[in-house]
């Protein structure tokens, strides 16, 4: 017990900072070495370490509390030491998420990764849980330090990713944890003569480890690994930053030739290219401009269509990619070309390739996210271009969980608002069969055009299709006779199929590259008709247009496909049908099962030892479960919503986490004086009422607030966002320490269980939030959280009432 | 003494015979077991073809293709680690991030190019050499190019060991085809590309066929058949490897 001794506030803040930064680092790491969804799976189970720590503490509570001064720093030290070791080992296990879908044996590797990554978190969480238990009635202060520290940890990781290469991050995280251990020793008045030099030596040691040891071990199945295996391939540059790891590869022996959808009739083949990878996949090609390498082939790409229809004067390219779209615009027009790209490292790598006087005069790079850029811009464009990299809806179904605010109904409206009278939006994307992504682009465009009463949507659309890609053109002005003739000539000479133009008849579709069915033509005709909703509802995949509240453009899964998936299980068929979504479900199921086995089941078995009467056990357990679920639901909903405002998921993660955790920490710090003034029940009701009021305000006025804040200058936006978060986050910090302080007085042996239940709920909540948002949007996520807070406010008084010491 | 050594040598000779019989019978039991596995795999392929006939335009494959699938020992083309899975109707890793294709896809691709016994066929992406071996059972000459050098070396050795004399394997960039041996009656591309390389179209004989999968290895989504008519006009047809998506739902 800490008794009246000094609370280990600084060490717990530092430990929480380090643990949260590690979680976020794992998200980045697994996005690089595996795929984005693998990060969700790994993180959710690694976080289960938090839940299990409660069980562990409950089992050894008396002993651990009796020697708190020893166990607390040792647990922190174990976190620091197992972290690099487990990271190293986890990356060397045979684990591939693609194989998970069709090979039962692959799950063994996955389980190994889970266990390894759960271990350091188990120690970190055990240290925090033990300290909360030991703090007894002063628990709120310690919890405040825990929350505040975690918030700063999020910020810390963004800074670390900005200033350090990705391979140095583990060393920085270990340093933070070791410092936490050293501070813990100081705070608890433990003998430090031997410990401090050892910790100092460990810190120095971790920075002296060979660089290769911590390099991300990219899966052999990722495109970067594939291309590096080809003879002559050389990695010539690498840029690591919070927005991703960029790798530039050149091969002079076997040059890359990437030209999605290139016509079979092209008179010239593409020249040398370099491959630019983002997180070891997401390849785009940088075209090398050399005198003997004519760029004629660019005119034989489907994306060249808009330049054949008219001569744009001002072109906006969304997403720099490898520069092909910009180069195409420069080659085929005299226009001024603006390129918006959120990742400045990408711009740094591209600039030197196109550094000539002509390009410098006409090509302007803007470091921004497109909607943020347009919000500030007053320019009217003749053409807004999305290449396959920026359009989304990739072929593998593995981006199902990515939010894409550039492809929502609201986004399309903004694009139309920034066009000239005859301006067009041109979207080229990969074509899957049966089509999904392109049909969703088309459905979105048609919905937006239909929404504009003065427009006859069918006259404002054009769609062509090559072997692997499709290009959609739309705008507020209808296509002229001249433009339609130009389309005919362009498509015929290149062997591209026309899927829609004003006045098209069915017999004109599906001529050159014959599909089993003219899906796109049928899709456009049906979507333009009155029964468009029926068509969308009956379609095999989810092609319903997405909104800013539900921006999962690449989510195409439908439950009606489940029968097919199951009948093709183990034969490679599952991945076609939205692997990302299914893996999310699997993650949720495994988290629930593991949580029941490792937390709820032991709790049930040892309920007599919890020191809480059976009558109030269920209410108390429910209270901490509801709080764990609700807190993270709100946090995740805000992280995702703020992405639109702040331009990139990582910034929104940092700002939302800092905001919620630091303000909740402040709320928590005020819990103790408020309890003595108001009493537990009144404070609980007050905080719940405040949470519900603030959340409802966000639900009702969220859209308006987003619009207003987006118009503000960049430097003002983050403080304003934090101010908007504060009224919600401050009361959110109160219920958990409030429950703990009741336990400290009435049933202290239940404290570790409360900690474990809260941890378990967070694991489930992280996945549940995405699942709810995919189907019903972020507003529903916030609504569910509000209901959970309300339920929790009913449960604690019930637990208190039924508790008989 | 004599009798003793006589009986010892008799026992030794009998023992050796027994050992030999044991080895031979084990080997034949093994090859019989493999043959049974291959038969089961072929039956599965035939069932798949029937299930997907609506999309691939045929209810059964050419009996010669079926025979080739029955004859080629797929287990020789996978690593020991996957030996037990060799005859499962699924793709398997072969190292270097590459896979040996799903047998149904191999059979279908072979069938779609309609290989004749006098044909000269170009394959891009040798991989393990399995597809080349199947083609070699049906055609006169097979030329195969592999871009990953260790795989090319391994496949070459393997095919030589299995006595495939009508296959030539070369390490190199398949984008440019094999102009020295062009034109070809058929071209089989086993690696997904961002576009069909124009040099390959040029190296295809009038009346020839080229087959290309579109999509990633683990989720092959569509096979594309390119046909060059006698006048040299080119058209393509995309079909689904409906193994994955039978498209059985209403109105699609």
């Amino acid at each position: 017990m800490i008794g009246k001794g000094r609370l280990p506030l600084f060490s717990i803040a530092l430990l929480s900072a380090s643990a949260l930064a590690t979680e976020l680092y794992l998200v980045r790491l697994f996005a690089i070495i595996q795929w984005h969804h693998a990060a969700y799976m790994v993180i959710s189970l690694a976080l289960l370490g938090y839940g299990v720590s409660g069980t562990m503490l409950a089992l050894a509570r008396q002993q651990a509390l009796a020697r708190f001064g020893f166990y607390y720093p040792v647990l922190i030290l174990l976190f620091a030491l197992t972290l690099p070791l487990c990271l190293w080992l986890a990356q060397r296990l045979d684990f591939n998420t693609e194989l998970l879908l069709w090979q039962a044996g692959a799950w063994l590797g996955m389980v190994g990764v889970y266990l390894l990554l759960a271990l350091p978190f188990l120690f970190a969480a055990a240290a925090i849980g033990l300290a909360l238990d030991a703090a007894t009635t002063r628990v709120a202060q310690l919890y405040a330090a825990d929350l505040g520290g975690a918030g700063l940890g999020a910020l810390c990781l963004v800074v670390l990713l900005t200033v350090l290469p990705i391979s140095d991050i583990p060393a920085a995280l270990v340093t933070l944890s070791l410092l936490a251990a050293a501070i813990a020793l100081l705070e608890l008045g433990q003998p430090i003569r031997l410990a401090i030099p050892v910790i100092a030596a460990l810190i120095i040691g971790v920075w002296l480890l060979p660089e290769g040891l911590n390099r991300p071990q990219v899966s052999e199945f990722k495109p970067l690994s594939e291309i590096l295996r080809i003879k002559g391939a050389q990695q010539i540059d690498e840029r690591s930053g919070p927005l991703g790891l960029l790798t530039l590869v050149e091969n002079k022996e076997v040059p890359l030739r990437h030209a999605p959808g290139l016509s079979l009739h092209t008179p010239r083949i593409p020249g040398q290219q370099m491959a630019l990878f983002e997180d070891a996949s997401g390849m785009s090609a940088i075209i090398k401009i050399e005198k003997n390498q004519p760029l004629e082939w660019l005119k034989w790409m489907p994306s060249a269509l808009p330049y054949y229809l008219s001569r744009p004067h001002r072109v906006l390219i969304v997403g720099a990619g490898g520069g092909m779209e910009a180069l195409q615009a420069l080659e085929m027009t005299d226009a001024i070309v603006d390129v918006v790209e959120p990742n400045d490292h990408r711009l740094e790598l591209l600039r030197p390739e196109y550094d000539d006087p002509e390009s410098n005069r006409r090509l302007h790079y803007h470091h921004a996210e497109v909607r943020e850029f347009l919000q500030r811009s007053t320019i009217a464009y003749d053409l807004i271009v999305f290449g396959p990299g920026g359009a989304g809806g990739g072929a593998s179904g593995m981006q199902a969980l990515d939010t894409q605010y550039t492809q929502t109904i609201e986004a399309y409206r903004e694009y139309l608002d920034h066009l000239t009278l005859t301006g067009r939006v041109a979207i080229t994307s990969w074509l899957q069969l049966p089509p999904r992504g392109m049909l969703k682009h088309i459905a979105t465009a048609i919905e937006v055009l239909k929404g504009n009463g003065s427009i006859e949507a069918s006259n404002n659309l054009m769609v062509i299709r090559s072997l692997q890609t499709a290009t959609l053109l739309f705008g507020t002005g209808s296509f002229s006779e001249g433009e339609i003739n130009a389309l005919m000539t362009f498509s015929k000479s290149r062997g591209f199929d026309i899927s829609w133009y004003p006045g098209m008849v069915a017999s004109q579709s599906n001529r050159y590259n014959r599909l089993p069915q003219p899906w796109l033509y049928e899709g456009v005709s049906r979507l333009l008709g009155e029964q468009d909703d029926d068509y969308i509802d009956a379609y095999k995949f989810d092609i319903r247009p997405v909104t800013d509240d539900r921006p999962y453009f690449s989510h195409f899964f439908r439950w009606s496909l489940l029968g097919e998936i199951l009948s093709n299980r183990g034969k490679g068929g599952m991945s076609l049908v939205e692997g990302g979504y299914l893996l999310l479900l699997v993650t949720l199921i495994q988290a629930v099962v593991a949580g029941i086995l490792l937390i709820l089941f032991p709790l049930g078995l040892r309920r007599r030892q919890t020191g809480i009467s059976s009558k109030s056990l269920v209410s108390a357990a429910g209270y901490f479960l509801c709080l764990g679920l609700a807190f993270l639901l709100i946090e995740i909903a805000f992280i995702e919503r703020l992405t639109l405002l702040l331009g990139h998921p990582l910034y929104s993660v940092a700002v939302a986490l800092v905001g919620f955790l630091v303000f909740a920490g402040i709320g928590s710090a005020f819990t103790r004086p408020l309890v003595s003034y108001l009493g537990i029940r009144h404070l609980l009701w007050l905080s719940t009422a405040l949470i519900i009021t603030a959340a409802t305000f966000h639900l009702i006025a969220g859209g308006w607030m987003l619009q207003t804040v987006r118009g503000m200058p960049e430097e003002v936006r983050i403080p304003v966002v934090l101010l908007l978060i504060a009224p919600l986050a401050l009361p959110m910090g109160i219920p958990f320490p409030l429950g703990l302080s009741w336990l400290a007085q009435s049933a202290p042996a239940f404290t570790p269980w409360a900690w474990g239940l809260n941890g378990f709920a967070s694991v489930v909540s992280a996945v549940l939030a995405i699942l709810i948002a995919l189907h019903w949007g972020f507003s529903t996520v916030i609504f569910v959280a509000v209901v959970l807070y309300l339920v929790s406010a009913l449960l604690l008084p019930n637990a208190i009432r039924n508790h008989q010491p | 003494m004599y009798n003793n050594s006589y009986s010892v040598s008799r026992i030794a000779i009998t023992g050796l015979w027994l050992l030999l019989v044991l080895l031979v019978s084990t080997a034949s039991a093994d090859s019989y077991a493999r043959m049974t596995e291959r038969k089961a795999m072929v039956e599965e392929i035939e069932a798949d073809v029937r299930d997907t006939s609506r999309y691939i335009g045929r209810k059964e494959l050419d009996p010669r293709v079926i025979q080739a699938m029955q004859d080629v020992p797929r287990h020789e083309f996978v690593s020991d680690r996957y030996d037990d899975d060799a005859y499962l109707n699924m793709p398997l890793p072969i190292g270097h991030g590459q896979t040996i294709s799903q047998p149904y896809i191999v059979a279908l691709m072979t069938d779609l190019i309609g290989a004749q016994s006098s044909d000269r066929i170009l394959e891009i992406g040798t991989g393990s050499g399995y597809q080349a071996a199947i083609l070699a059972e049906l055609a006169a000459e097979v030329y195969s190019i592999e871009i990953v050098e260790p795989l090319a070396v391994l496949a070459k050795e393997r095919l030589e060991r299995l006595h495939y004399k009508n296959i030539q394997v070369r390490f190199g960039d398949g984008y440019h085809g094999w102009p020295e041996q062009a034109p070809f009656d058929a071209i089989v591309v086993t690696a997904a590309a961002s576009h069909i390389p124009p040099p390959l179209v040029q190296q295809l004989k009038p009346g020839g066929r080229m087959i290309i999968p579109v999509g990633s290895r683990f989720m092959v989504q569509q096979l594309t058949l390119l046909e060059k008519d006698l006048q040299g006009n080119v058209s393509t047809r995309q079909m689904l490897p409906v193994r994955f998506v039978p498209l059985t739902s209403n109105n699609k």
Side-chain angles (χ1 to χ4, degrees), chain A residues 36 399-406 551-553 640 643 649 778:
Chain A
H36 194 226
Q399 292 88 37
L401 311 179
D402 296 351
T403 52
Q404 282 163 288
Y405 284 100
T406 55
Y552 294 95
F553 181 85
E640 299 293 356
T643 307
F778 296 122

Side-chain angles (χ1 to χ4, degrees), chain B residues 193-213:
Chain B
S194 74
H195 59 277
I196 298 181
L200 297 186
V201 182
Q202 284 156 16
Q203 288 172 30
L204 193 64
K205 271 185 192 169
R209 295 175 139 208
M210 183 189 327
I211 185 90
I212 292 192

